[in-house]
Amino acid sequence: MKTSRLARFLAAAFLLGFASLGAYSASPATPKFSEKPKIRALTAFVPLDRAHYREQIGDALGELRKLKAALEQAGYEVQTIRISTQPFPNYTRGLSDEETLAFFRDYDALAVKEGFDASIGPAMLAESDDPHQAELLAKILAASKTLEGTVVVAGDDGIHWRAVHAAAGIMKYLEDHTPHSQGNFSFAATALVPPGTPFYPASYYAGRGHEFAIGLQSANVVAEALGTTHDVKAAQQAIEDALGPHARAVEAVAQRAAGATGWNYLGLDLSPAPLKEISIGAAIENFTGAPLGSSGTLTAAALITRALRALPVKRIGYSGLMLPVLEDSDIAKRWDEGTLSLDALLAYSSVCGTGIDVAPLPGDVSQEQLARIIGDMASLAVKLQKPLSARLLPVAGKKAGERTEFDDPFLVNATIRPLP
């Protein structure tokens, strides 16, 4: 993930009627707790027009950089700025496969140069969509440094079984065609995830454009709150008290920005994203007094999500507990020990957030096995009518009992567990 520098668009702020970035910044209320969240994702949504995409990206980056500066002025570190588009087949229509790959090589190079993360949206959004676009997405992602994308495997109309198998095919392709099989970090099979979600890879656009959303990295805030009590009701209230002032302060900056620029603020994804040693897994263990995966874990997952959804801000995306195996050192440790499994992660997803996220798998997992795992996730999402996703990382040449060798700064390594 990358962050970006400020650019020439700051001068335009004066013309829009605010003489400085402080015109739409806000100081956070003094919290009862000391921990402060970071902003993992500041995401703009752009209806990309292939003929004018550089101008569109320039405009979006200008607004993102102004908003980033305002949030930092209010005391919140912004880790990444991001741009998400509509499903990419909508704006590559009429191009050959070779021309499409060339276009995305240029787009990827632009993202690297300008310092933003880029989601190109779903290859398949509906069950009737062409699975060839999924094959094309696999090649796009394998050749890129920063692009991310998805396949939508379930919606309000039920499970998209062709898309389930297409997503599994992408995972096998990226396993075999990217260093350390790391390409699957940039791909997810998603179910009922709404447009406008700021977190990647699930993010995509389906609105009018000139919209933005914000995703928090607040595992540290939740951890501090959970460390104050072992009572369920008191813990929920502590999370609301700890995170609420920050959520409201960030939203105040976003709303002022929207009023000043004409961009539409979609909301906050309040999911307490962890980052390695900033561990949501350790936070849950401090509360339950037992290893993650033990009895009480599901209760903790449910109370965290209830607390997030009680906050009086505009929510979007998952806004529930995330348990990403390889992005959290404590969760990775429990995966090593075998106290967590794919089925356990799905069970916890019934009361919280993401689904199965960055779980390492043996390299000899078949496409059909991957499809069954994705299908289970999609079945749960449809049954509960909630957003879930599967980001699975099969590792070429690695067997159960061996360790991954990822070199991404956002990933830890872990032991690959045997599939049941």
Side-chain angles (χ1 to χ4, degrees), residues 208-258:
R208 64 179 180 84
H210 289 87
E211 297 174 322
F212 69 94
I214 298 172
L216 297 182
Q217 179 182 298
S218 59
N220 58 323
V221 179
V222 173
E224 184 182 23
L226 287 178
T228 64
T229 181
H230 296 288
D231 178 81
V232 171
K233 290 185 178 179
Q236 179 176 333
Q237 187 60 56
I239 294 171
E240 293 177 37
D241 291 343
L243 188 56
H246 297 297
R248 290 190 293 272
V250 169
E251 180 157 275
V253 176
Q255 288 172 335
R256 290 176 185 271

Side-chain angles (χ1 to χ4, degrees), residues 37-319:
K38 296 180 180 179
I39 293 171
R40 171 71 67 85
L42 181 54
T43 306
F45 299 93
V46 176
L48 208 68
D49 177 351
R50 194 171 74 239
H52 305 286
Y53 80 95
R54 289 183 178 272
E55 296 92 331
Q56 290 179 297
I57 297 302
D59 176 60
L61 287 176
E63 300 304 332
L64 286 173
R65 288 165 177 159
K66 287 186 291 188
L67 180 54
K68 176 178 182 288
L71 288 163
E72 289 173 342
Q73 183 178 340
Y76 295 95
E77 179 184 335
V78 178
Q79 293 185 314
T80 66
I81 60 173
R82 308 180 177 193
I83 295 177
S84 298
T85 71
Q86 72 272 43
F88 75 86
N90 292 358
Y91 55 88
T92 58
R93 190 175 290 112
L95 297 181
S96 67
D97 287 1
E98 292 73 19
E99 290 168 334
T100 298
L101 292 170
F103 171 79
F104 283 115
R105 282 195 297 271
D106 290 343
Y107 188 37
D108 185 52
L110 178 64
V112 172
K113 178 183 176 183
E114 295 293 341
F116 69 94
D117 293 331
S119 171
I120 61 173
M124 300 174 69
L125 190 60
E127 177 69 340
S128 59
D129 287 344
D130 184 2
H132 178 67
Q133 296 298 321
E135 298 171 4
L136 195 53
L137 176 61
K139 295 178 181 178
I140 292 167
L141 297 181
S144 75
K145 292 182 173 65
T146 190
L147 304 184
E148 307 201 17
T150 63
V151 165
V152 175
V153 298
D156 292 335
D157 56 344
I159 300 172
H160 306 163
W161 288 109
R162 286 205 306 171
V164 167
H165 289 279
I170 291 176
M171 291 174 182
K172 289 302 290 183
Y173 185 93
L174 293 175
E175 173 192 343
D176 293 333
H177 292 85
T178 58
H180 307 290
S181 302
Q182 211 159 277
N184 275 305
F185 190 37
S186 299
F187 172 74
T190 68
L192 280 84
V193 177
T197 299
F199 282 120
Y200 279 16
S203 182
Y204 74 101
Y205 149 85
R208 64 179 180 84
H210 289 87
E211 297 174 322
F212 69 94
I214 298 172
L216 297 182
Q217 179 182 298
S218 59
N220 58 323
V221 179
V222 173
E224 184 182 23
L226 287 178
T228 64
T229 181
H230 296 288
D231 178 81
V232 171
K233 290 185 178 179
Q236 179 176 333
Q237 187 60 56
I239 294 171
E240 293 177 37
D241 291 343
L243 188 56
H246 297 297
R248 290 190 293 272
V250 169
E251 180 157 275
V253 176
Q255 288 172 335
R256 290 176 185 271
T261 65
W263 281 62
N264 183 37
Y265 164 63
L266 297 178
L268 280 173
D269 192 322
L270 295 165
S271 303
L275 182 60
K276 291 188 173 180
E277 299 303 325
I278 304 171
S279 170
I280 196 67
I284 292 171
E285 291 183 346
N286 288 338
F287 173 74
T288 62
L292 194 73
S294 304
S295 297
T297 300
L298 190 142
T299 296
L303 81 86
I304 292 170
T305 298
R306 284 198 304 272
L308 298 176
R309 294 179 181 174
L311 296 180
V313 293
K314 189 176 182 180
R315 295 186 305 278
I316 199 164
Y318 299 100
S319 286

Side-chain angles (χ1 to χ4, degrees), residues 377-391:
M377 177 277 297
S379 296
L380 185 64
V382 169
K383 174 63 177 178
L384 299 179
Q385 286 295 292
K386 65 178 300 180
L388 295 176
S389 55
R391 190 162 40 155

